[in-house]
Amino acid sequence: GADILILDEPTAVLTPQETDKLFAVLRSMRDDGKAIVIITHKMHEVETLSDRVAVLRHGQFVGDMLTKDTNAQEMTNMMVGHAVTLNIARPDPVDPKPRIEVKNLTVRSIDGIVKLDDVSFTANSGEILGITGLMGAGRTELARAIFGADPIDSGEIFVEGKKVKIRNVSDAINAGIGLLTEDRKTQGLLLNLSVNDNTAIAALNSKKASKKLTARGMLHKKKIRENTELYCKKLQVKTPSIQQKVVNLSGGNQQKVIIGKWLSTDSKILIFDEPTRGIDVGTKAEIYKIMEELAASGVGIIMISTELPETLGISDRVLVMRKGRIVAELDPKKTSEEEIVSYSAMEGIPNEK
């Protein structure tokens, strides 16, 4: 077998249990004398697994050190080139009001398999509602159903107290719902189109928002350009020009373009599905700040994430899903990663239906 093994983001799509098993195998290989190189932007993985860490920035070697002699904050600062705040001190929501209420939502696949089973929850203004669970728990299926990408078999959705009928994506957009998809490259962006086109496209499908980008039913290029420039500046999108194709942007800047796309629609509810996947730690902090500012402005934020440190660090409440159902609602200030994993797998948790 190989004496040197290089792994590039090996846990990107793994569950916590699968990650633990992989790390056990890697430690065993190390103990057998193999050299393991793991490329990752996840600080807790570096601290958990590695013996020595090397930091790169903009394609250049910055430095290396023994893992036991450093910490996540120091490594992050080296990666970014300046001090970065990893933890956001979030105030409690002030006078939260329901932005979206989902009642008894059930979704079945074409062949009748239940994907979502009688799901009910509320997301309030001013808060970030975290949703987590293992792969196959129904997290992304829930987002797609609310957004009209998949048909709903039964259940009700209310936006700001008003019942809405969501039969397709256009219905969701017009109801004020936006979705930042799990896979931004294939589902969230038109990669060969410009930053300008991608920022405008959702608003042009909104009956209300399209009015600010058109004149007498025709596209208004100046208004579209000014709208894109506004959100590029507000979100600090790094691009040489708004005419740059988004395929040429970094992952973090692509994600910011998607956020700008939904802000252009004046969305009341934004669903972030794995918002920081494949994004460097510095841009992660920027995305968290954007989410915090959106929540503070009254937007209802739903964050779906398998990154438990992320879920606990930024959420006001955490819902845990398993087999298409919500099995727990937890306070991130009082719970732990271990408790969330236990609910996700129902290990030792009584009263499972």
Side-chain angles (χ1 to χ4, degrees), residues 5-26:
L5 182 63
I6 303 173
L7 301 97
D8 190 358
E9 301 288 357
T11 65
V13 296
L14 298 185
T15 65
Q17 291 90 338
E18 290 168 338
T19 297
D20 290 341
K21 290 178 181 177
L22 172 63
F23 285 3
V25 171
L26 295 179

Side-chain angles (χ1 to χ4, degrees), residues 3 10 14 21 33 74-75 79 130-131 141 149 175 217 222 245 261 296 342:
D3 292 322
L14 298 185
K21 290 178 181 177
E74 182 181 12
M75 288 185 285
M79 291 169 62
I131 300 179
E141 289 81 358
K222 182 181 178 182
K245 291 182 179 181
K261 174 179 74 174
S342 294

Side-chain angles (χ1 to χ4, degrees), residues 1-213:
D3 292 322
I4 302 173
L5 182 63
I6 303 173
L7 301 97
D8 190 358
E9 301 288 357
T11 65
V13 296
L14 298 185
T15 65
Q17 291 90 338
E18 290 168 338
T19 297
D20 290 341
K21 290 178 181 177
L22 172 63
F23 285 3
V25 171
L26 295 179
R27 291 189 184 99
S28 177
M29 293 178 66
R30 175 199 60 190
D31 295 342
D32 287 340
K34 308 296 185 183
I36 310 294
V37 179
I38 179 170
I39 301 167
T40 181
H41 63 274
K42 299 178 181 178
M43 294 294 102
H44 64 283
E45 292 186 355
V46 175
E47 293 177 312
T48 300
L49 185 63
S50 69
D51 300 295
R52 190 163 57 91
V53 57
V55 178
L56 301 177
R57 184 172 71 245
H58 301 315
Q60 295 185 335
F61 176 77
V62 177
D64 65 346
M65 65 216 81
L66 295 177
T67 307
K68 65 181 180 64
D69 294 334
T70 188
N71 55 50
Q73 185 67 62
E74 182 181 12
M75 288 185 285
T76 299
N77 294 348
M78 290 177 66
M79 291 169 62
V80 179
H82 57 79
V84 174
T85 301
L86 293 175
N87 297 312
I88 298 177
R90 300 196 62 249
D92 292 331
V94 178
D95 191 26
K97 294 181 173 58
R99 280 297 192 200
I100 184 169
E101 297 173 84
V102 175
K103 298 183 179 181
N104 311 115
L105 197 67
T106 296
V107 172
R108 293 180 177 85
S109 65
I110 295 175
D111 51 3
I113 297 174
V114 176
K115 297 293 185 180
L116 296 174
D117 184 9
D118 197 33
V119 172
S120 298
F121 70 90
T122 299
N124 298 311
S125 61
E127 76 168 357
I128 297 175
L129 175 66
I131 300 179
T132 191
L134 303 181
M135 189 174 295
R139 298 166 290 116
T140 295
E141 289 81 358
L142 177 59
R144 287 178 59 85
I146 295 171
F147 189 60
D150 292 332
I152 296 170
D153 285 272
S154 62
E156 298 175 313
I157 297 175
F158 296 81
V159 174
E160 295 185 321
K162 181 180 178 181
K163 184 177 178 179
V164 294
K165 190 171 183 63
I166 297 177
R167 296 155 296 191
N168 50 50
V169 170
S170 292
D171 286 343
I173 292 173
N174 286 308
I177 302 170
L179 170 63
L180 288 85
T181 56
E182 181 178 20
D183 187 341
R184 61 179 170 270
K185 291 183 182 295
T186 61
Q187 299 174 345
L189 293 165
L190 296 170
L191 291 176
N192 287 317
L193 294 186
S194 68
V195 172
N196 194 38
D197 292 336
N198 274 275
T199 304
I201 194 165
L204 293 173
N205 281 281
S206 166
K207 293 177 182 177
K208 182 179 178 181
S210 63
K211 294 178 182 178
K212 64 182 181 182
L213 302 181

Side-chain angles (χ1 to χ4, degrees), residues 178-180 188-189 195-204 209 212-213 224 226-237 252-267 270 272 287 290 294:
L179 170 63
L180 288 85
L189 293 165
V195 172
N196 194 38
D197 292 336
N198 274 275
T199 304
I201 194 165
L204 293 173
K212 64 182 181 182
L213 302 181
I224 292 173
E226 290 174 345
N227 177 75
T228 300
E229 290 172 344
L230 170 68
Y231 287 112
C232 280
K233 182 178 180 180
K234 186 174 183 178
L235 300 172
Q236 298 182 331
V237 178
N253 284 297
Q254 288 178 348
Q255 192 73 315
K256 290 179 182 180
V257 171
I258 299 174
I259 295 172
K261 174 179 74 174
W262 291 117
L263 294 183
S264 298
T265 68
D266 301 320
S267 296
L270 284 178
F272 289 75
I287 297 295
I290 291 169
L294 289 171

Side-chain angles (χ1 to χ4, degrees), residues 237-248:
V237 178
K238 294 180 178 65
T239 177
S241 160
I242 63 171
Q243 299 305 326
Q244 176 72 267
K245 291 182 179 181
V246 293
V247 70
N248 296 321

